[in-house]
Amino acid sequence: DTAVSQTPKYLVTQMGNDKSIKCEQNLGHDTMYWYKQDSKKFLKIMFSYNNKELIINETVPNRFSPKSPDKAHLNLHINSLELGDSAVYFCASRSVGAQYFGPGTRLLVL
Amino acid sequence: SQQGEEDPQALSIQEGENATMNCSYKTSINNLQWYRQNSGRGLVHLILIRSNEREKHSGRLRVTLDTSKKSSSLLITASRAADTASYFCATDGETSGSRLTFGEGTQLTVNP
């Protein structure tokens, strides 16, 4: 009965590969987010969707493409992975005010 | 530039002591929120304080907000080893839509 879940939890891959991270929330929230947390724990928003529509698109390389098939799911596809993409990626959904975070996907690009 | 700055960056205390963390921000806000992140885990929402509120309590947590100084503090009373975590403030700005802007976090270590 996990509220916000992400798969995979760990992802180790080579530079140049394409990978996807999936996120699902069972809270009935309309708004979902992707965040990137770097090695210094700085958390930065990447994208936000509201009811399957993109509402926030920060300055993120276009190698990153979010997709929301329905309001309970927000996936992140990354093309041509680079070393600098190594980070922890968090999905979150939003109630009134508070955000609920998934456990994170630890991406390591070699 | 980043909205929030937290102080101190790291705090180490003994069990039973109180821990105070501060957060400053730059723009007008609708609300300010505090989150906890245990090592290797996602962030957990602790408390939300609206811009028209000055103080809020939740269990051992006490949050204050001073909009004139654009600052907030989180007090954890009677700390426990299980409180060891990183604590982040996040602001929901008046013009930021539904996004939160996070501070840099305070790493709290509570020694048993």
Side-chain angles (χ1 to χ4, degrees):
Chain A
D1 58 350
T2 306
V4 182
S5 59
Q6 293 178 230
T7 55
K9 190 170 182 180
Y10 299 96
L11 189 50
V12 181
T13 188
Q14 299 288 331
M15 269 176 53
N17 284 349
D18 303 337
K19 290 293 177 185
S20 291
I21 308 172
K22 295 187 175 181
C23 177
E24 177 181 1
Q25 54 99 1
N26 62 7
L27 299 167
H29 295 161
D30 286 338
T31 307
M32 295 183 71
Y33 304 83
W34 277 110
Y35 289 89
K36 180 180 179 181
Q37 187 174 47
D38 63 22
S39 57
K40 295 184 178 177
K41 292 195 173 181
F42 176 43
L43 199 68
K44 186 170 180 192
I45 189 168
M46 299 174 70
F47 301 102
S48 175
Y49 271 72
N50 182 273
N51 209 4
K52 300 194 300 174
E53 287 196 27
L54 181 67
I55 56 171
I56 294 174
N57 184 351
E58 289 297 286
T59 309
V60 176
N62 57 15
R63 298 182 295 103
F64 290 79
S65 53
K67 282 200 178 136
S68 181
D70 55 62
K71 74 173 195 177
H73 295 84
L74 180 61
N75 304 323
L76 183 64
H77 187 75
I78 316 171
N79 288 327
S80 303
L81 278 155
E82 300 177 357
L83 294 177
D85 298 332
S86 295
V88 184
Y89 293 84
F90 286 100
C91 175
S93 70
R94 180 176 180 255
S95 175
V96 178
Q99 292 190 12
Y100 295 79
F101 283 76
T105 295
R106 283 139 193 86
L107 171 65
L108 177 60
V109 182
L110 302 174
Chain B
S1 63
Q2 194 169 340
Q3 168 78 315
E5 292 182 3
E6 294 187 55
D7 166 49
Q9 286 189 330
L11 180 61
S12 182
I13 59 174
Q14 296 299 122
E15 252 187 337
E17 293 180 342
N18 295 342
T20 300
M21 289 160 268
N22 302 298
C23 168
S24 61
Y25 58 92
K26 295 176 183 171
T27 61
S28 297
I29 60 170
N30 290 319
N31 65 69
L32 184 143
Q33 304 175 32
W34 286 90
Y35 288 79
R36 182 188 74 230
Q37 184 179 28
N38 290 87
S39 180
R41 309 289 288 272
L43 280 75
V44 174
H45 180 259
L46 295 176
I47 197 165
L48 180 154
I49 185 164
R50 292 186 170 76
S51 60
N52 61 354
E53 298 176 310
R54 292 297 165 256
E55 189 170 311
K56 203 158 183 182
H57 297 254
S58 176
R60 294 184 295 111
L61 305 181
R62 172 178 167 248
V63 168
T64 62
L65 179 64
D66 186 336
T67 52
S68 66
K69 294 181 180 177
K70 291 187 168 60
S71 67
S72 173
S73 68
L74 171 67
L75 169 67
I76 304 174
T77 59
S79 64
R80 304 167 183 167
D83 294 329
T84 295
S86 293
Y87 290 82
F88 294 88
C89 68
T91 52
D92 184 350
E94 282 186 345
T95 58
S96 63
S98 62
R99 81 180 68 198
L100 290 180
T101 304
F102 284 82
E104 296 171 338
T106 293
Q107 174 60 49
L108 172 67
T109 301
V110 181
N111 301 299

